[in-house]
Amino acid sequence: MNEYIKKPYYVDLSVTPFCNLKCPFCSAGAAGRMNDSKKAPFTLSKLEDIFNQLDENDVMRVSLEGGEPFTRSDIIDVLNLADKHNFWYMINTNATLITEELAKKISKTNVDKLCISIDGPEKIHDLSRGSVGSFNKMKEAVGYLNKYNVSMDGIITLTNINIDYLFETLELIKNMGISNVAIMLLASVGKAFCNKHSVEVNYNDWKKVYLKLTDLKKEDKLPVNVNIVPTGEATHPWMLYLPLHEEHREDDLKLLLSPSAISTINNNRFACTAGTDNFAIDGYGNVYGCSLMYTEKDLIAGNVYENSITDIWNNSSIFKKLREIEIDDVKGDCAECEFLSVCRGGCRVCSYAVSKDLYSSDVRCPKCERSL
């Protein structure tokens, strides 16, 4: 890799590791409040220190996450702190803790938008979120946020639990007054790895749904604006490219692919910007290449209680490795695959969760499954 290290563009920051729900697919492995941690959640003074360091590194975008950010009683103070800094920020939330009073206070901050998890109609959403009543609390919060003109996107994490209800969910979200939806394809890490037999989507089921989505998009019949967010940053991710290739419909690829897909990585790199364009900080101060790595402790690049962000970014051995790995070094079925130079090898942490090797094949891909 070039000796020049560019500055990070965006950061995922978990303002707390704690969550009030029990999603069986949580990539962060978020849990209820624990009594043995002296570092979590961050104090306001520590968050101010982190925000200052993000400014020093010219970070442009920050996603405030968890756990669940609104488990913090001082969350408005956190947003008021963020308002003083140069980056723009958004919040990922299950929205179950947002009252009308809180929605009004949020409307007075500079938050760009709230990304609300909406995984299906009531019973399916509650099952997905591991808590009966979570749908109605979320729906009530969306009403309050609409009342105070807070910008929102819907987020659907697609799993085996809700895939049959996807199109119904899109209509439901439209009726809630939300016009933009991101469909997040499941990363088999954290709880999703432990529960993959019950939450992971079968490739053929996904293909059927994806082809229907592209058809509806071409016919301008989707009820909301939809982007699909795969794991990784490939311009031709296997989970989108392969179903279209099999039907000779490759030209449909850009119809639904998230704008976050980029092509700035050189042609021999894995399609992964973890530790190169971005990084993530978990609720205990551990720094990783991306937030999908939170449960893989061997991938900790440093800790903000021990080193500066600049030092970690410039000198971490983990980040150095992430910046140097190339698809020529991939192991397993991907090494012989005709599509390797197209899909660029799939998600590195999903591969690592299985093999503990950043160079291994992404065995979620059916091209791997067919040879097992």
Side-chain angles (χ1 to χ4, degrees):
M1 178 176 172
N2 191 304
E3 290 183 2
Y4 169 72
I5 300 174
K6 58 186 174 183
K7 291 188 176 182
Y9 167 67
Y10 69 93
V11 172
D12 294 330
L13 172 60
S14 293
V15 295
T16 177
F18 308 126
C19 190
N20 60 318
L21 300 183
K22 299 177 181 178
C23 308
F25 48 82
C26 179
S27 62
R33 181 168 295 277
M34 293 173 278
N35 297 319
D36 60 349
S37 175
K38 296 180 180 179
K39 294 183 177 180
F42 295 114
T43 63
L44 289 174
S45 61
K46 186 59 184 176
L47 281 173
E48 176 70 351
D49 173 51
I50 292 171
F51 290 163
N52 284 332
Q53 292 187 64
L54 297 181
D55 278 349
E56 290 168 5
N57 282 275
D58 298 329
V59 171
M60 296 179 65
R61 188 188 84 191
V62 176
S63 176
L64 302 180
E65 306 177 339
E68 168 51 47
F70 288 94
T71 59
R72 290 188 65 120
S73 60
D74 62 353
I75 188 62
I76 296 300
D77 294 327
V78 173
L79 305 190
N80 289 335
L81 277 180
D83 285 346
K84 299 175 182 178
H85 292 271
N86 299 330
F87 51 80
W88 66 267
Y89 68 96
M90 57 187 177
I91 305 172
N92 284 348
T93 176
N94 62 46
T96 58
L97 300 174
I98 299 176
T99 62
E100 180 170 6
E101 179 183 7
L102 200 49
K104 186 176 182 179
K105 291 179 179 178
I106 293 168
S107 72
K108 296 178 180 179
T109 70
N110 296 332
V111 63
D112 185 70
K113 62 184 175 181
L114 268 63
C115 300
I116 311 289
S117 297
I118 307 172
D119 287 327
E122 182 176 355
K123 290 183 179 180
I124 298 302
H125 179 90
D126 286 358
L127 183 60
S128 296
R129 294 288 145 182
S131 177
V132 174
S134 60
F135 176 86
N136 288 328
K137 291 175 183 177
M138 174 273 297
K139 186 177 180 181
E140 185 176 37
V142 168
Y144 294 144
L145 293 164
N146 274 323
K147 178 178 179 179
Y148 293 102
N149 299 311
V150 177
S151 179
M152 288 176 283
D153 283 358
I155 296 182
I156 301 171
T157 302
L158 199 64
T159 68
N160 192 48
I161 299 169
N162 64 1
I163 189 169
D164 291 338
Y165 300 85
L166 176 61
F167 297 99
E168 180 181 347
T169 305
L170 295 176
E171 289 285 351
L172 183 154
I173 292 173
K174 175 190 175 182
N175 293 335
M176 287 185 182
I178 296 174
S179 58
N180 296 307
V181 175
I183 299 175
M184 312 294 291
L185 301 189
L186 190 68
S188 300
V189 297
K191 290 182 181 178
F193 180 77
C194 298
N195 300 319
K196 61 183 177 180
H197 295 299
S198 59
V199 299
E200 202 166 67
V201 174
N202 173 275
Y203 173 75
N204 289 325
D205 292 339
W206 160 242
K207 178 179 176 179
K208 180 180 178 181
V209 165
Y210 177 46
L211 294 178
K212 183 176 179 179
L213 280 168
T214 56
D215 287 339
L216 292 174
K217 177 68 174 180
K218 286 191 289 187
E219 297 166 5
D220 198 26
K221 291 183 179 179
L222 286 171
V224 290
N225 299 317
V226 173
N227 283 309
I228 297 175
V229 183
T231 53
E233 289 79 27
T235 55
H236 295 69
W238 65 260
M239 59 284 290
L240 303 188
Y241 178 80
L242 195 58
L244 295 175
H245 174 79
E246 290 172 346
E247 301 301 321
H248 308 288
R249 292 174 52 173
E250 291 93 333
D251 289 344
D252 290 345
L253 182 64
K254 294 183 179 180
L255 288 173
L256 296 166
L257 183 60
S258 168
S260 64
I262 63 170
S263 57
T264 58
I265 347 178
N266 73 57
N267 290 333
N268 205 39
R269 286 290 315 280
F270 283 102
C272 173
T273 61
T276 59
D277 282 350
N278 60 283
F279 65 89
I281 306 173
D282 76 7
Y284 300 99
N286 297 312
V287 178
Y288 296 84
C290 79
S291 60
L292 295 179
M293 297 178 175
Y294 283 170
T295 56
E296 299 295 340
K297 301 308 178 185
D298 289 340
L299 298 181
I300 293 174
N303 189 286
V304 296
Y305 288 102
E306 299 169 6
N307 298 95
S308 71
I309 287 173
T310 299
D311 181 43
I312 296 169
W313 181 254
N314 289 335
N315 301 311
S316 164
S317 59
I318 291 291
F319 283 173
K320 184 176 186 291
K321 185 173 184 179
L322 288 170
R323 292 163 186 161
E324 291 178 345
I325 56 176
E326 296 186 338
I327 58 175
D328 287 347
D329 301 316
V330 70
K331 302 173 184 177
D333 291 328
C334 285
E336 305 299 325
C337 181
E338 62 186 303
F339 300 117
L340 178 59
S341 63
V342 179
C343 82
R344 312 279 284 282
C347 175
R348 291 301 83 213
V349 69
C350 290
S351 302
Y352 188 87
V354 175
S355 65
K356 305 308 176 189
D357 187 345
L358 286 170
Y359 295 95
S360 63
S361 295
D362 186 348
V363 295
R364 300 173 304 152
C365 176
K367 296 289 285 185
C368 290
E369 290 176 358
R370 291 167 189 167
S371 64
L372 292 178

